[in-house]
Amino acid sequence: EGLRSPTSGTARVFGVDVTKDYDPVRKKVGILPQNFEPFDMLRPPEAIEYWAKLYDMRIAKKDIDALVERVGLSDRKSSMSKKLSGGEKRRLGIALSVVNNPELLFLDEPTTGLDPRARRDLWKLIEEIRDKGTTVLLTTHYLDEAEKLSDDVAIMLKGKIVARGTP
């Protein structure tokens, strides 16, 4: 993800050694951390516009509106982020993580703490993103979620992969 400096080893993403230079990869990657909290005093369209600027992107109002609609926040676009429910904040986080149309998307526990309906709605959104060609690396403790959303599953124990295969 490029969020921490490596302690050892190498890692290649899109053929680039990210332990030496992450910049060529940065614009191709989207990230939704587990403990993501949007900026309280921004409305979803403002947050999306701000996030796009972090990628040195200009984003048209129609594209912002389309992304707000895509994540199911059209009826909440005038609400401050601090007023959004947990599920709505997660959907906003997804919008921010895909604002740059990433080729690789990291989702860390995206449905933790969501009610069953919000969880299923988020699954549909993740499937849509995946089906449009984005590679999604999903971290989850929910085996049903891994089965539903994954083509390949790896189970880790104490930082080591102990099993890997199809769901």
Side-chain angles (χ1 to χ4, degrees), residues 22-38:
Y22 191 73
D23 285 339
V25 174
R26 188 174 316 278
K27 289 186 180 184
K28 296 180 179 185
V29 173
I31 302 168
L32 177 62
Q34 181 178 3
N35 297 319
F36 169 79
E37 283 292 324

Side-chain angles (χ1 to χ4, degrees), residues 105-116:
L105 178 61
F106 291 95
L107 300 176
D108 190 1
E109 302 283 350
T111 63
T112 297
L114 298 184
D115 64 71

Side-chain angles (χ1 to χ4, degrees), residues 44-53 57-74 77 92 94-96 98-101 128 132:
E46 296 166 339
I48 291 168
E49 182 177 20
Y50 176 78
W51 214 254
K53 287 179 182 178
M57 294 174 55
R58 290 184 184 264
I59 187 166
K61 183 181 180 326
K62 68 177 179 63
D63 294 329
I64 292 172
D65 291 342
L67 189 50
V68 168
E69 183 176 337
R70 182 178 181 199
V71 298
L73 290 175
S74 293
K77 66 182 177 185
L92 177 56
I94 292 280
L96 300 180
V98 300
V99 73
N100 62 324
N101 296 308
E128 177 188 323
K132 287 189 175 186

Side-chain angles (χ1 to χ4, degrees), residues 69-89:
E69 183 176 337
R70 182 178 181 199
V71 298
L73 290 175
S74 293
D75 60 333
R76 303 289 282 155
K77 66 182 177 185
S78 297
S79 300
M80 293 293 181
S81 295
K82 69 180 178 180
K83 300 282 187 179
L84 301 177
S85 71
E88 291 166 340
K89 287 179 181 181

